[in-house]
Amino acid sequence: MKFKLSLVICLIALQVFTACSQKTKPVEVERPNIVWIVSEDNSKHYLKMFDEHGATAPNIESLAADGLTYTHAFSNAAVCSAARSTLISASYGPRLATHYHRKMEQVPLPEGVEMFPAYLKRAGYHTTNNAKEDYNLFKADNVWDMSSKKATWRDRKEGQPFYHVFNIGTTHESRLHFTREDMKKGTKTDVNSVFVQPNHPQTELFKFTNAYYHDKIQQMDTEVGEVIAKLKEDGLYDSTFIFYYGDHGGVLPGSKGYINEMGVHVPLVVHIPSKYKHLVDETPGTKVDGFVSFIDFGATVLNLAGVELPKGIDGKPFLGKGVSGKEVAKRDETFSYADRFDEKYDMVRAVRKGKFKYTRNFQPFNFNGLMNNYRYKQLAYQEWLELYEAGKLNEIQSQFFEPKHAEELYDVEADPFETNNLADKPEYIETVKELRANLNNRMKSMPDLSVYPEFYLKKVAFSNPVEFGQQHKKDIEAYLEVANLNILKFEDAKVKIDENLKSDDAWKRYWALNTCSSFGKEANEFVSVAKEIAKSDSVLINKVKAAEFLGLVGKQNPVNVMTKALYDTKDGAEAVLMLNSIVLMKDGAHKYKFNIKQDKINKITLEEPLVLRRLEYINKK
């Protein structure tokens, strides 16, 4: 009897143990596959599904048929490395110092934050990239299983979920570096059928360039179709989220490299796989009008994959569990930034909220058309400049080669090419105030590191940019306050300008000098102070900035001061900034003549390739 009782107890215990074991055994989460198909350098304006003047793209349109079309998707930066660094980090470039194109030096992510594919790998994903990276960040070994032109999802383990990026270079800017001889071959697209935007010359060359690019868009669409076909061939189409998007805007003159709508408003279509419709609070086959930006893309992928979002990123998901379609529809803001593009410097920030776009030019004297060697390989760029110099452009077409306004406001629904600045119109005062405050709050809260010159950040901050920013928040706010003097009326700003020109702080003097250059001849009362700074400032770049102001207002030839500073510096990054001012003086209204002797420049300075690129242009016969 005792034996039977013991046996019963043992059997009951075994059943309880088995049941408990089954309950505590981790449940395997079935995760969707995710593919990004990325075309280079094309804004949404070149696709008919987004813009009436665009080309048809049947393969991309097929993704939209059972997916979502995002009408307000934005790159936060308008050029490759800055945009791709934003994507891979899910964070704003000016906070991380990843927004300069291209890197003079790579920077680390903040402590505890990784490139987002690393989190996918940890969750069991096979991660591959084919093939462009172009990051301004250090990349750890745990990001990609493979990143090359051979990378494919087909190398994964059986049943393993995957994240795959496929880059298409067919629409890249370099494809428009055709010659006059190439033009004789013609285009498939009728040159007389294309739209030439109103700020461009209405010439045969611009018609041809648009038609030629339409051909490239259609070729790119064919390549998109090839990726889709492979997924279907492998039986993966119904279990894979497919994102198609452009890596930033472009690519005709005045788009790539500039944070106007042509530079940052990108196409985005997301195919919703039937197997994972439950992860999406939207109806497939519809349009989403809410604003999404590149900072959000990585967060969205992680959320779709069921991976917890890391602390320390700036983006938030627009698809996946817990994301409400109604909430996404209410999103109506995007923030964008532009600084150095190759050898050309500027500092521009913009906030778009709904239909209004507020653009802040911190150095408005740096006109948009300032020489960038790579941009001007395009025949259309060359012709645009030639027509301007010949006086054959109208007012709107000429804006590209003339000083900008410190503040710009556009109704981009009524004025998509941003030709009619509303910032000074009385009826828009409150809109300007609201968006100005929005932008300043963003720059302070990050904080935005660009109030320091890049060469200085490279020396003191690039080992840990985020930590540097947090430690110097008050200084950054103070420099931003000086930089913002150029949006005031001169009479309201001049006391503070005078105070900061005489400051012991080098960067307050730097921004006070930029402010003088912004006001131009209105600031002539500071000519004597500027002459003293140009002669004796302890910081070389401030001597150059003082000479820049004096040169712009025609009160002193800047050649000797700028040339000597260039010879004296032992910092290639500082020299690139100096050379930007030299090119501005050379090509600006006064056409100052420089004769720079390369053998007088420090050998260390000449190790920076961008210095050589500028010298090539300046010394060109």
Side-chain angles (χ1 to χ4, degrees):
M1 187 70 182
K2 287 182 179 180
F3 173 76
K4 288 183 178 180
L5 182 61
S6 298
L7 182 61
V8 169
I9 292 171
C10 286
L11 288 170
I12 292 171
L14 181 61
Q15 287 176 334
V16 170
F17 176 78
T18 302
C20 290
S21 297
Q22 288 173 342
K23 286 180 181 178
T24 57
K25 184 179 179 181
V27 178
E28 287 192 16
V29 178
E30 193 172 2
R31 303 180 190 271
N33 307 310
I34 301 166
V35 169
W36 282 5
I37 306 175
V38 188
S39 59
E40 294 200 55
D41 294 7
N42 60 288
S43 66
K44 63 100 179 176
H45 304 80
Y46 297 104
L47 289 165
K48 196 172 188 66
M49 61 186 296
F50 289 94
D51 190 284
E52 62 178 323
H53 303 300
T56 56
N59 291 296
I60 298 171
E61 290 165 14
S62 75
L63 294 177
D66 53 11
L68 301 172
T69 301
Y70 286 81
T71 60
H72 294 100
F74 300 91
S75 170
N76 300 100
V79 71
C80 301
S81 69
R84 288 169 180 269
S85 297
T86 299
L87 282 165
I88 202 71
S89 65
S91 297
Y92 289 122
R95 182 171 73 86
L96 273 57
T98 59
H99 57 308
Y100 301 105
H101 176 80
R102 279 188 169 83
K103 57 185 176 289
M104 290 184 180
E105 186 177 302
Q106 286 181 312
V107 296
L109 280 163
E111 188 175 348
V113 179
E114 299 176 84
M115 292 182 174
F116 79 84
Y119 300 105
L120 294 172
K121 276 192 74 173
R122 203 167 293 133
Y125 271 77
H126 183 69
T127 62
T128 50
N129 177 57
N130 187 331
K132 186 171 182 176
E133 293 184 352
D134 209 4
Y135 311 136
N136 294 330
L137 292 149
F138 289 112
K139 184 188 71 169
D141 294 334
N142 65 342
V143 178
W144 301 113
D145 285 298
M146 180 177 283
S147 181
S148 75
K149 291 184 178 180
K150 295 182 179 179
T152 172
W153 64 79
R154 289 174 170 171
D155 291 336
R156 74 194 190 284
K157 297 174 185 175
E158 186 177 349
Q160 185 180 15
F162 63 88
Y163 167 61
H164 179 70
V165 180
F166 187 82
N167 292 274
I168 300 173
T170 302
T171 50
H172 187 265
E173 176 181 14
S174 58
R175 303 306 190 268
L176 293 187
H177 293 169
F178 52 76
T179 65
R180 294 281 179 181
E181 189 65 27
D182 293 330
M183 291 177 65
K184 294 177 182 178
K185 300 173 186 176
T187 58
K188 292 180 181 178
T189 301
D190 181 358
V191 294
N192 293 312
S193 70
V194 295
F195 171 76
V196 178
Q197 59 195 65
N199 56 327
H200 282 164
Q202 306 295 301
T203 64
E204 293 304 312
L205 175 58
F206 270 83
K207 288 180 183 179
F208 178 90
T209 306
N210 274 279
Y212 190 88
Y213 200 60
H214 276 224
D215 288 354
K216 293 299 176 185
I217 290 288
Q218 291 169 329
Q219 183 183 339
M220 173 271 289
D221 180 68
T222 299
E223 293 172 82
V224 171
E226 291 169 359
V227 179
I228 296 170
K230 287 179 181 177
L231 288 166
K232 288 182 175 179
E233 180 185 329
D234 291 355
L236 297 168
Y237 187 75
D238 293 330
S239 59
T240 303
F241 284 93
I242 305 171
F243 290 60
Y244 160 74
Y245 66 91
D247 72 341
H248 51 74
V251 68
L252 268 76
S255 54
K256 180 179 179 178
Y258 303 92
I259 54 175
N260 52 39
E261 291 295 286
M262 295 293 291
V264 297
H265 198 160
V266 299
L268 171 63
V269 178
V270 182
H271 158 70
I272 308 300
S274 57
K275 187 175 180 179
Y276 293 102
K277 283 182 180 178
H278 62 280
L279 293 178
V280 178
D281 186 30
E282 301 280 5
T283 303
T286 60
K287 293 182 177 181
V288 178
D289 293 327
F291 284 36
V292 299
S293 300
F294 275 11
I295 56 163
D296 304 319
F297 281 35
T300 299
V301 168
L302 293 177
N303 199 48
L304 285 171
V307 176
E308 184 179 354
L309 299 187
K311 294 179 180 178
I313 65 171
D314 295 322
K316 59 181 180 179
F318 53 85
L319 289 171
K321 191 175 180 180
V323 176
S324 160
K326 288 183 178 179
E327 187 277 323
V328 172
K330 292 178 182 177
R331 300 183 192 180
D332 67 346
E333 292 186 15
T334 186
F335 173 70
S336 47
Y337 35 86
D339 287 81
R340 178 176 56 76
F341 297 117
D342 300 319
E343 74 273 25
K344 175 183 174 289
Y345 270 102
D346 205 350
M347 182 177 170
V348 188
R349 299 289 181 270
V351 168
R352 179 174 168 184
K353 183 175 176 61
K355 68 177 183 177
F356 286 111
K357 183 166 189 174
Y358 171 80
T359 300
R360 179 72 174 88
N361 295 301
F362 285 90
Q363 298 168 354
F365 45 87
N366 281 326
F367 59 90
N368 283 324
L370 193 69
M371 177 54 61
N372 174 307
N373 292 15
Y374 193 75
R375 297 288 96 80
Y376 279 88
K377 286 185 177 183
Q378 203 178 129
L379 291 179
Y381 261 107
Q382 295 171 27
E383 182 183 67
W384 199 4
L385 176 58
E386 289 164 4
L387 291 171
Y388 174 75
E389 291 177 338
K392 294 182 178 179
L393 300 179
N394 63 33
E395 184 180 348
I396 289 174
Q397 294 162 352
S398 298
Q399 289 172 353
F400 191 68
F401 302 99
E402 295 174 351
K404 300 170 287 189
H405 295 274
E407 292 184 297
E408 299 171 10
L409 179 72
Y410 300 103
D411 176 348
V412 293
E413 291 181 2
D415 179 23
F417 300 103
E418 298 168 53
T419 62
N420 181 26
N421 184 10
L422 306 172
D424 292 332
K425 297 189 181 299
E427 60 266 40
Y428 295 101
I429 288 175
E430 292 307 313
T431 303
V432 170
K433 285 182 179 178
E434 177 191 347
L435 295 180
R436 179 194 296 154
N438 183 319
L439 186 138
N440 281 323
N441 288 337
R442 287 172 179 271
M443 293 181 70
K444 291 175 184 177
S445 63
M446 282 183 207
D448 191 318
L449 298 177
S450 282
V451 293
Y452 294 99
E454 182 186 13
F455 76 88
Y456 180 76
L457 290 174
K458 187 169 175 283
K459 287 179 182 176
V460 303
F462 272 21
S463 61
N464 194 333
V466 172
E467 182 180 59
F468 177 87
Q470 292 302 314
Q471 291 174 349
H472 292 82
K473 253 190 166 182
K474 288 186 178 179
D475 291 333
I476 289 170
E477 286 189 22
Y479 301 146
L480 183 59
E481 185 177 330
V482 182
N484 279 336
L485 292 174
N486 74 351
I487 65 175
L488 303 177
K489 292 181 179 178
F490 179 72
E491 286 300 313
D492 297 331
K494 67 180 185 179
V495 172
K496 284 289 185 181
I497 294 172
D498 183 59
E499 176 186 315
N500 285 287
L501 285 172
K502 297 171 182 175
S503 172
D504 292 334
D505 188 315
W507 306 125
K508 286 185 177 180
R509 298 197 302 278
Y510 174 84
W511 279 109
L513 289 164
N514 279 319
T515 300
C516 288
S517 292
S518 299
F519 280 114
K521 290 182 179 180
E522 278 190 276
N524 272 355
E525 64 186 77
F526 295 118
V527 163
S528 59
V529 179
K531 285 182 177 179
E532 184 58 33
I533 292 174
K535 180 181 177 182
S536 59
D537 200 279
S538 59
V539 177
L540 287 174
I541 193 61
N542 283 346
K543 290 184 176 184
V544 171
K545 282 291 176 180
E548 182 175 67
F549 164 56
L550 295 168
L552 286 169
V553 297
K555 292 296 183 179
Q556 180 175 293
N557 189 313
V559 170
N560 290 339
V561 171
M562 289 186 172
T563 303
K564 186 177 186 308
L566 181 64
Y567 292 162
D568 287 346
T569 186
K570 297 178 182 178
D571 184 332
E574 183 179 35
V576 177
L577 184 55
M578 291 175 175
L579 286 162
N580 198 80
S581 296
I582 288 172
V583 171
L584 178 64
M585 296 296 97
K586 174 184 178 295
D587 292 347
H590 295 281
K591 308 293 183 190
Y592 294 106
K593 305 294 184 184
F594 286 83
N595 182 23
I596 296 172
K597 305 293 185 184
Q598 189 164 319
D599 60 357
K600 290 189 176 182
I601 299 174
N602 190 282
K603 290 181 180 179
I604 296 173
T605 302
L606 292 173
E607 290 175 3
E608 171 51 58
L610 296 180
V611 170
L612 299 178
R613 188 181 296 186
R614 274 299 195 204
L615 292 175
E616 177 188 349
Y617 170 69
I618 292 166
N619 293 329
K620 187 168 62 176
K621 301 298 182 184

